[in-house]
Structures are given as C-alpha cells and as structure tokens.
Amino acid sequence: MSSESPKGIGGGLKNNKKNETTMARTLSSASMSKYLEGGIYHDFLQYVKADKELAFEIRVKDEVMIYCQKNLLLRITHRKSSPDLVTMLNPRYYTNRRDGLNLTEQLIEPSDLQDLHKVRRYFEDAKALCKSYKSHDEFIVQQQYKAEHCSFSGDYLAIDMEWAPDQTKVPVECRLEKTKIDLIVVSNRANDEGLHDIYLAEVKCGLGAVDGKSGIEDHLRMSQAVINNAYARQGLLQDVKSIIQQKTQLQLFDGTPADYCFAERPKVMFILACCSESERQGFKRIVRNLGDAGRDVKIEFVASSKCMQPAKAYYGGDSDFRKACRLHQAWFREHVLMLKMGCNRSTRRGAKETEEQFRRRRATETDIAVLTTGDAARLMNFVPAYHDEIRKTLLKEKGGIPTDFGLMANMLRSEHVVWNIFVPMMTDMAAAAKCFSDVLPNRDIKTILNWKIEYAPNTINDRTAFDVYVEYETSERKTGVIGIEVKYTEEGYSVGNKEFSMMQDATSAYSVATRRSGCFIDNDPMQFNTPDFIQLWRNHILGLAMVQQGMTNCFDSLTLYPAGNTHFHSFDNHIGAIEAYGELLTDRGRDTFHGITYEVLFDVLRNHFKSERHGAWLQYLKTRYILN
C-alpha cells in the first residue's frame, strides 16, 4: 500500500478545504439546523442523548446513524430537494423469530421522529431485538467507553465508533482493504511536542480476545495500513475536525473544547476489558513482546462487562430451574451421599456486601452444591456403583484423576452428568446399541464400534467437541456417528470473537459446512448468531462436516437436557431453543438433529438394562437429576 503523500497534502491540510467539505463525516448546515433548538429533530436528538445505550454518529453523504452496541438501529439520510429518508432496523433482526419480539412502532417518515412516544417504543423494541440477536461483551464495553468519554475535561474524548475511511476519492491503487475501527479517540491533553494525539482504538475483552485472526497483531497491521496511507490520514483528520465541531454544536460533548492541534500521524490504542490484575500484566507483556511495533501503543484498561454486572458473578441471576436444581443437589449431597459442604473458591464478595452477608450467601447459595476437595478426589460426584469403570475411563481419557472443579466438585454443572450416564451405559454395548436404536429409529444401528467422551474431530477449524461421540456400524457394514451434547442447568452462551469472525467469512469452515450440508433453509451462518442457537449449530455442523469429509456415512446430532430446563424445552405456548432451531432446518436437517430429555432417555435405558447393578445406577440417575 502506497504511503506517499498525494499532491497538496505536504505536512498539513491547509490547502485542502474543498476536499474537507466533500469527504469528511459532516452534516450540511441545513441538516444541522434540524437538530438544533427549534429544528424538527431537536426533541429526537434530546431523547437519543438521554439514552446512554444509544450512539448518535455522523456519516458521509449527509447521514446520521443511531447505534446500540454496534448494531445500526436507525439511519437518517438528509436530502436537499425531497423529504429525508428514514431507514429502520434491518429485517433480519425481527423476521422469523419465535420469541415474540417485534417492532411495535414504525419510524418511516421524518414526522415520525417528532413523535417521542413512537420514538421511545421503537428504540425499546429495537434495542431488545438487537441484544437478543447479537450481543457481545465487546459491544457492551465499546458503548460504555464511548458514553463515559464524552467530555473535554477528561484525558480522552471518544468521538466516533465504527469508523471506516471514505475511499471514494482515493485512487484505486491506493485504496485500503476492508477496514473498520471500533473507536476514534483523541487526547484532550497535548503531548510533549504540544500536539494532540488521535488514536485508532480497538476494544478487546480478556486475554483470550487478543489471539487469533482478530487479535492484537492483525489489528496492528490494519491500523498501520491506515497510518501509512496519506489519503486515509487526510480523511481521518478531516473527520476528526468536523465531528468534534458538529457534535460540540449539537451538545453531544460536555464542556469547552480544547484548542486542538492534532498530530499528523495517528497512534494505536487498545481498550482492554478485564477483571483481574493478572490480565492487565499479561496484556502488557504481550505488547512488550511486540518490540518496536508495540512501542507507541496506548493501553486503556476498563472493567469488563461481567464486572459491570456483579450480580451475574455470584449466582444472582439464577433461573427458577437452576435455583431448584441447586437446592436439590444440596439435598442429595447432604441426605443421600451424607457429605459435608465444600467451597466454591471462584465466588467473589460483592462490592456492596458486608463480610457477614458474604459468608451467609456462601453457606446458603454458592457452596451448597459443592463437594469438598477430599470427597471430589474420592469420585463422590459420580455414581458409586460404577466408580471402578469411571476411574479407569478418567485415567484413560485424562491421563489421571483430574482436579478440575467443574467436573469433580461442582454438582450443578453438566460435566459429571456425561460420565454418570454414558460410562455405565457403555459397559453393555449391545444394550446401548438397542437404546440408541430406540432413540433414533430411522438409523440401522447394529453394533457400537467406538465411543469417546469430549471428542473433537476438528472438522470446522475450532475446538468444538462432542460431549459424547458414538460410532456405530449398520447391518450393511456402513458407519454412522452420533454426536451428543449434554446439558443440565446450562442455557445458551454468547458468541465469541473468533466464532463471530468465522461466521462472517464466506470461505470459513463454518460457512462451507453449512452450505454443503443441505440441512438449512437459509445458509447464512449469521442467523445462528444468538445464545440460543450458536452451540446447537456448531455441534450440528461439526458432525455434518465429518460426512462431507468422508469420515463417516451418516451423522446425527443429539442434545440431551432435563425437561425442566425450559431454555431448551418447549411447553404450552413457550418455544424452546430445540424447537426454534428445528424451524431453521430443511427436512434433511431435521432428520439429523434431535433433542431428548433426561426423562425420556432414562425410560429407554430401563427397557434394556435389567440387572440389579443397572437398577442401582438408574435409581441414582432418577434420584439425582429428576426433580419431583
């Protein structure tokens, strides 16, 4: 990419007034007047300013965009000779939904923006739709940082989010590849040379987010491409000047502007959201290891979105089912196993808790379904009748008896459920084959050839693994695979940075496996970008890719969960995630994706496992996992 200055730029921008008005992110004087006192959009702007979850951004071509957590909620395109064009939320956010969320108000005409009742109802619905469809910790932190850095009196001013260089006036040979910056931040304090720095800021949540394709090195490369491109620098400086000027006029920034004299070359900033000092130090080490490339990198540490919501850090967000299961496991530990309560060392004291309140909460909430370290080592989280087999399998699969808290000591997690159901089940492979035949009657399951716990076939280029992998042979000597995902009180989870990047990439293993499978009505991976669907879809395509790559002839994805977990289970008018996901599948897709409850599976097991030892095992499963 060329880094030579175009003619006329030299050391500054004094001779580029024409370009400054045609290329910068700016509103015309006529458009600006609509947002000022007495203008038709003045009340609308006041509403947006008052809602800290909304961001008002000025764009090229005389446009305004309203964002919430990186999602574009509304676009206003100002036009000279005709009414302004108002564009609402993309229909992908609210069509084909099964959760009842929708837009109850429409903002279509400029006059609609003058009706604050409509505006309020629209943004309430639009925010809920976007958060349900696609919400990441990174988006929350980005919005929070921008909201907190809107004053000229602070060290830094966040002036724009989702900035991309306007390349319409740039020669083709000098254009950048697709570039988007999370935040443009300027320093309100002059540096040692008397200049105010401009920063290309990237938001990252935790150390795990700085690895891989969307990590620190790739962002540095992208930022350096902007910094080294004279056209991009010129556009950025024009944007910074016009945005500050116009947002100040619109009173979107607090205080009195500094007498800015901007440095010609922008710098790189990382805004790292973290909860611990170790993460801070770890990120600093990563930057130091970059050598010269990291010398001028500015690091801003902020609290992660998890720290912003402390209730979620210590079980304050228990669902009714999870709370009931926690109490049931505490009862099981005390009255069936007759064991003392252990200690959940990850529990943190709340900011507003006294020491006495913290101890009481641990004794009545967080520790009641936890085993002691000694009892965990004695395998007391597992069915006693099969301790020998479970010990041997742990030694084989893990290389020793683990000390992992989630598997060995936490009675509320699903990790131990896998071992308590499937290790005893696989001690009689013939009976197990009959059970799977009952569960999957359309499959010709004759003999189980192999089975594994936590098996990752690495067919979609990530670490997705089946909780249980079962390989079988048919009467025609063909092979089939069942990939089982086991849930207990868990629900969905947020999409990670790497997952999100792969979902957007049409050439990624995610996209290829989805397109080739013939299992999805719509092959766009982004439809699965929700906590409800992400894991169901990844486990599904993990096995579908095995078929595509010739690793097996047939695949079935099976999700096992208790009926009380209504995140997955449908009842009355409630649509659970299993049924909702099924609505996105073709007939072929529905033939390869299945959900089954603990209750149904336990009944199937009773039909084929008849010995006294089996009876003790099945009674254990019912007593421990089925709520009366």
Side-chain angles (χ1 to χ4, degrees):
M1 191 68 66
S2 173
S3 61
E4 296 180 2
S5 297
K7 185 177 180 180
I9 290 182
L13 294 165
K14 295 181 180 179
N15 299 322
N16 289 276
K17 295 295 183 183
K18 181 177 180 180
N19 281 342
E20 194 164 339
T21 60
T22 58
M23 291 182 66
R25 296 188 176 201
T26 184
L27 295 177
S28 68
S29 58
S31 299
M32 278 288 291
S33 67
K34 297 177 182 180
Y35 296 92
L36 302 177
E37 189 168 359
I40 62 172
Y41 298 146
H42 177 261
D43 291 344
F44 169 80
L45 175 61
Q46 302 314 304
Y47 177 89
V48 172
K49 285 165 58 176
D51 188 335
K52 297 304 181 183
E53 289 191 307
L54 299 179
F56 181 102
E57 303 297 356
I58 297 169
R59 296 293 182 249
V60 295
K61 300 179 182 177
D62 209 14
E63 286 187 333
V64 162
M65 295 184 184
I66 311 297
Y67 290 91
C68 172
Q69 293 185 14
K70 232 171 188 175
N71 300 288
L72 177 59
L73 270 57
L74 195 76
R75 181 199 307 261
I76 306 169
T77 304
H78 301 95
R79 302 190 287 191
K80 292 181 180 179
S81 57
S82 57
D84 293 339
L85 177 65
V86 180
T87 307
M88 296 196 305
L89 185 68
N90 191 305
R92 73 172 181 268
Y93 288 96
Y94 54 86
T95 54
N96 299 319
R97 296 186 69 99
R98 304 292 294 184
D99 56 12
L101 293 177
N102 210 325
L103 291 173
T104 56
E105 293 288 355
Q106 308 284 305
L107 301 183
I108 302 173
E109 303 295 336
S111 58
D112 292 331
L113 302 186
Q114 297 171 264
D115 185 337
L116 290 190
H117 174 75
K118 277 189 175 182
V119 169
R120 179 181 61 80
R121 292 286 299 275
Y122 173 81
F123 279 121
E124 285 177 353
D125 291 341
K127 287 193 297 183
L129 286 164
C130 288
K131 291 174 184 177
S132 174
Y133 182 86
K134 181 177 66 176
S135 182
H136 300 294
D137 288 346
E138 175 190 316
F139 296 0
I140 298 170
V141 172
Q142 179 185 16
Q143 190 93 29
Q144 185 82 7
Y145 187 91
K146 187 173 186 296
E148 292 176 352
H149 292 76
C150 60
S151 172
F152 294 110
S153 61
D155 290 336
Y156 298 101
L157 182 72
I159 69 166
D160 191 64
M161 63 191 296
E162 299 302 294
W163 181 86
D166 177 17
Q167 304 190 79
T168 57
K169 308 291 185 182
V170 177
V172 174
E173 67 274 12
C174 295
R175 290 180 181 175
L176 297 168
E177 296 180 3
K178 187 176 180 181
T179 300
K180 188 169 285 188
I181 306 298
D182 285 347
L183 289 167
I184 300 298
V185 177
V186 301
S187 173
N188 287 325
R189 313 281 183 255
N191 60 26
D192 293 341
E193 298 175 356
L195 302 175
H196 294 80
D197 289 312
I198 301 171
Y199 292 96
L200 309 176
E202 176 83 352
V203 178
K204 294 294 182 184
C205 292
L207 285 181
V210 302
D211 295 325
K213 186 175 181 180
S214 60
I216 184 170
E217 292 185 2
D218 278 4
H219 179 70
L220 278 174
R221 282 193 291 270
M222 180 178 68
S223 298
Q224 289 300 330
V226 173
I227 293 168
N228 293 330
N229 186 289
Y231 292 98
R233 291 200 309 272
Q234 177 192 28
L236 174 62
L237 186 55
Q238 291 169 358
D239 282 348
V240 167
K241 290 179 176 180
S242 62
I243 290 171
I244 291 177
Q245 178 186 7
Q246 295 201 322
K247 284 192 173 183
T248 301
Q249 192 176 353
L250 294 171
Q251 297 183 340
L252 290 167
F253 296 141
D254 298 329
T256 304
D259 186 14
Y260 291 109
C261 182
F262 291 112
E264 181 182 351
R265 295 179 69 84
K267 295 181 178 180
V268 178
M269 174 186 286
F270 279 94
I271 299 169
L272 182 72
C274 54
C275 283
S276 68
E277 181 61 27
S278 63
E279 284 192 313
R280 290 176 179 238
Q281 297 305 321
F283 191 73
K284 288 180 179 178
R285 283 194 298 272
I286 292 173
V287 172
R288 285 198 299 270
N289 290 338
L290 293 172
D292 291 343
R295 186 187 305 119
D296 292 329
V297 171
K298 174 68 179 175
I299 308 173
E300 279 277 276
F301 291 109
V302 298
S304 77
S305 62
K306 293 183 176 64
C307 294
M308 294 173 193
Q309 305 170 59
K312 290 186 177 180
Y314 55 80
Y315 304 118
D318 263 2
S319 66
D320 290 342
F321 177 67
R322 185 176 176 85
K323 182 177 180 180
C325 288
R326 187 186 302 281
L327 294 171
H328 182 74
Q329 291 301 322
W331 168 84
F332 188 86
R333 171 188 54 75
E334 185 173 351
H335 295 283
V336 177
L337 299 178
M338 293 180 287
L339 299 175
K340 294 181 180 180
M341 181 172 65
C343 176
N344 187 344
R345 292 183 175 85
S346 65
T347 304
R348 295 186 293 274
R349 178 177 168 180
K352 297 182 179 180
E353 277 188 312
T354 65
E355 182 63 30
E356 182 180 353
Q357 290 171 330
F358 181 48
R359 288 198 302 268
R360 184 177 183 280
R361 179 166 59 82
R362 297 197 67 163
T364 57
E365 285 185 59
T366 70
D367 292 1
I368 61 176
V370 173
L371 298 176
T372 66
T373 303
D375 288 335
R378 293 194 299 121
L379 306 185
M380 296 309 294
N381 213 11
F382 305 101
V383 54
Y386 286 85
H387 272 186
D388 286 344
E389 287 84 354
I390 289 173
R391 180 180 288 105
K392 289 177 182 177
T393 308
L394 284 169
L395 292 172
K396 177 183 176 183
E397 299 285 341
K398 304 284 189 179
I401 301 300
T403 58
D404 177 60
F405 173 79
L407 172 63
M408 304 299 290
N410 191 337
M411 301 179 72
L412 202 62
R413 295 287 294 272
S414 63
E415 284 95 326
H416 65 271
V417 181
V418 175
W419 297 78
N420 283 336
I421 293 176
F422 291 98
V423 173
M425 184 179 179
M426 292 304 178
T427 59
D428 188 338
M429 304 277 264
K434 293 176 182 178
C435 289
F436 284 119
S437 292
D438 287 352
V439 172
L440 303 171
N442 294 332
R443 300 293 177 256
D444 178 21
I445 300 173
K446 294 302 179 184
T447 306
I448 294 177
L449 300 175
N450 189 19
W451 70 280
K452 296 180 181 179
I453 291 177
E454 298 176 12
Y455 174 63
N458 193 30
T459 56
I460 53 175
N461 295 339
D462 68 5
R463 297 179 181 178
T464 305
F466 300 121
D467 286 340
V468 183
Y469 167 87
V470 178
E471 184 179 348
Y472 64 86
E473 187 177 66
T474 70
S475 57
E476 296 181 352
R477 307 298 294 275
K478 293 182 178 180
T479 61
V481 165
I482 306 168
I484 305 171
E485 178 70 19
V486 179
K487 297 295 185 183
Y488 184 30
T489 62
E490 299 90 347
E491 297 183 351
Y493 69 87
S494 299
V495 179
N497 291 332
K498 180 180 179 180
E499 296 161 348
F500 184 63
S501 176
M502 290 178 67
M503 293 170 82
Q504 291 183 305
D505 183 355
T507 65
S508 71
Y510 284 4
S511 298
V512 172
T514 300
R515 284 197 306 271
R516 290 180 178 175
S517 69
C519 290
F520 304 97
I521 296 171
D522 181 350
N523 287 326
D524 182 6
M526 291 304 294
Q527 68 187 302
F528 306 113
N529 184 26
T530 75
D532 288 354
F533 296 151
I534 180 64
Q535 190 169 27
L536 299 178
W537 169 69
R538 287 175 68 200
N539 278 278
H540 197 181
I541 61 172
L542 181 67
L544 294 174
M546 292 182 70
V547 178
Q548 296 167 17
Q549 295 171 25
M551 299 169 67
T552 186
N553 301 115
C554 181
F555 170 76
D556 287 278
S557 178
L558 184 66
T559 302
L560 175 64
Y561 59 93
N565 189 334
T566 55
H567 174 83
F568 295 100
H569 196 57
S570 298
F571 68 95
D572 297 333
N573 294 324
H574 168 77
I575 305 298
I578 298 293
E579 182 179 348
Y581 179 78
E583 293 293 327
L584 305 177
L585 305 179
T586 62
D587 290 342
R588 182 177 179 182
R590 286 190 291 272
D591 184 54
T592 58
F593 175 80
H594 320 272
I596 184 173
T597 64
Y598 286 11
E599 290 83 348
V600 171
L601 178 63
F602 294 172
D603 284 343
V604 171
L605 294 175
R606 288 188 188 93
N607 292 333
H608 300 286
F609 289 87
K610 301 290 189 179
S611 73
E612 183 176 344
R613 190 184 187 205
H614 292 151
W617 163 52
L618 295 173
Q619 185 59 44
Y620 174 95
L621 295 180
K622 178 181 178 181
T623 304
R624 181 163 183 185
Y625 299 119
I626 305 301
L627 300 181
N628 295 323

